[in-house]
Amino acid sequence: MKTIWKAVFALLMVIGTVLPAQAEEKTITMGTMAWEDLSPTSLITKKVLEDQGYTVKLTEFSEWGIAFAALGKGDIEMLVSPVNYLAQDYWDRGKNRYEKISPVSDGLYQGIAVPKYVTIDTIEQLNESSAKFGDKVIGIEPGAGLMRSTSEAIKAYGVKLQLVEGSTAAMTAALKSAVDRKEWVAVTMWDPSWMTQKFDLKYLADSKGIYPPSQTYYWIGQKGFSEKHPRAREVIASIFVPITDIKAINGDIKDGKSVDEAVKIWIAKNGDLIQRWENNKKN
């Protein structure tokens, strides 16, 4: 009788270890910001997961605070974010509730940019030609991390030009107008952006290191995501989209394609790469 019970107990132990792996939840809730550098990586990851049999529900957010609150409450299970700078405050505030799943891209950079025909190369040199720049640096939306860093840079370097708040659209229009006329203009800029493809720009050297170094995009999840979704985690970890590809996708969007259309074009061109990602997963 003891032998029988030992055998039954051993069988139950085996079942207990096997069932969780077989019963992995196949629906994943994903969050992203509705930004040109984040939407492509989100849609590509969604596509690869769906190819592996997952149902992915994607939610777009307009603010980091709302996105991280949703992650903390469990409204979403994973979120793409450059947590080592742009969203660092939100990550630090709740990192005990989150985990880094894997990097998905690298190369986010921000700074003050000018057209390459402009004959200065450093932030310090802005004051020498202040009048040529109209005594201003054209910025984007107030409250953006890029605007905060640029404000700090202007103070640190003693730049006399005014940082003008506005919108990305207004900055883009001012940049295009200046380039068309071969005029001098200084703007807040970032990579990946279609603008660095469309316009021949250069970043002004930042010798004081006010702007952060090249940043990495991560998929982050609720604490325990990798344990709950071990196979999905392996699929996600295989995905890495080069920053140059994100810029190319954004170029297609600027040329009139929707985000979905531009991503589909990229996927069609990179079928072999996606196949390798899917084959690299653990069975």
Side-chain angles (χ1 to χ4, degrees):
M1 182 64 72
K2 288 183 178 180
T3 302
I4 293 174
W5 279 112
K6 284 182 180 180
V8 171
F9 180 75
L11 179 60
L12 290 173
M13 291 294 290
V14 169
I15 292 173
T17 58
V18 171
L19 281 179
Q22 294 178 334
E24 178 181 347
E25 175 60 48
K26 300 293 286 186
T27 298
I28 295 175
T29 51
M30 173 190 294
T32 188
M33 299 291 283
W35 292 356
E36 64 177 0
D37 55 338
L38 296 176
S39 292
T41 52
S42 304
L43 290 172
I44 290 168
T45 303
K46 180 176 184 289
K47 159 70 175 170
V48 175
L49 283 169
E50 288 175 341
D51 284 350
Q52 296 302 305
Y54 291 89
T55 298
V56 180
K57 298 178 180 178
L58 178 62
T59 301
E60 288 190 339
F61 298 95
S62 58
E63 297 179 12
W64 284 120
I66 298 173
F68 273 84
L71 185 65
K73 290 188 298 182
D75 294 339
I76 56 173
E77 297 174 276
M78 56 185 285
L79 173 70
V80 64
S81 172
V83 294
N84 53 348
Y85 172 63
L86 279 183
Q88 183 176 6
D89 290 346
Y90 296 105
W91 168 263
D92 289 344
R93 216 173 291 161
K95 61 184 176 184
N96 292 333
R97 303 194 305 273
Y98 314 135
E99 66 174 67
K100 286 183 180 179
I101 300 171
S102 67
V104 68
S105 191
D106 180 73
L108 171 63
Y109 184 77
Q110 299 176 320
I112 298 175
V114 299
K116 283 189 178 177
Y117 57 74
V118 171
T119 57
I120 70 168
D121 297 296
T122 69
I123 296 176
E124 291 98 328
Q125 292 176 305
L126 282 168
N127 285 338
E128 299 173 7
S129 305
S130 178
K132 288 187 176 182
F133 290 109
D135 299 311
K136 58 192 176 185
V137 175
I138 310 298
I140 56 172
E141 291 79 3
L146 173 55
M147 291 293 283
R148 183 175 65 248
S149 292
T150 303
S151 179
E152 292 172 4
I154 284 175
K155 291 177 184 176
Y157 288 100
V159 172
K160 297 175 184 177
L161 285 71
Q162 177 189 1
L163 175 59
V164 179
E165 295 180 344
S167 67
T168 299
M171 181 274 287
T172 304
L175 174 60
K176 182 181 185 304
S177 177
V179 169
D180 287 346
R181 294 172 171 79
K182 293 294 181 185
E183 295 173 348
W184 285 33
V185 65
V187 298
T188 55
M189 186 54 62
W190 63 94
D191 266 306
S193 170
W194 65 267
M195 283 180 278
T196 58
Q197 283 190 316
K198 175 74 172 178
F199 305 109
D200 202 8
L201 304 175
K202 61 182 177 181
Y203 286 99
L204 296 180
D206 173 23
S207 61
K208 296 181 184 292
I210 305 300
Y211 292 96
S214 179
Q215 300 160 58
T216 300
Y217 298 87
Y218 291 93
W219 278 115
I220 61 173
Q222 284 185 301
K223 203 77 170 180
F225 177 92
S226 296
E227 184 178 353
K228 180 181 178 182
H229 298 286
R231 184 169 170 272
R233 193 268 173 197
E234 293 298 330
V235 174
I236 295 165
S238 71
I239 301 168
F240 190 87
V241 185
I243 208 78
T244 51
D245 288 24
I246 295 176
K247 288 172 69 171
I249 291 170
N250 290 330
D252 285 340
I253 294 169
K254 177 57 182 174
D255 289 340
K257 303 287 192 302
S258 69
V259 177
D260 286 341
E261 288 171 339
V263 169
K264 285 178 181 177
I265 290 171
W266 184 90
I267 288 172
K269 292 179 180 177
N270 292 272
D272 291 345
L273 175 61
I274 292 173
Q275 191 65 49
R276 288 200 300 274
W277 290 344
E278 294 177 354
N279 289 340
N280 281 339
K281 69 176 179 60
K282 290 184 179 178
N283 295 318

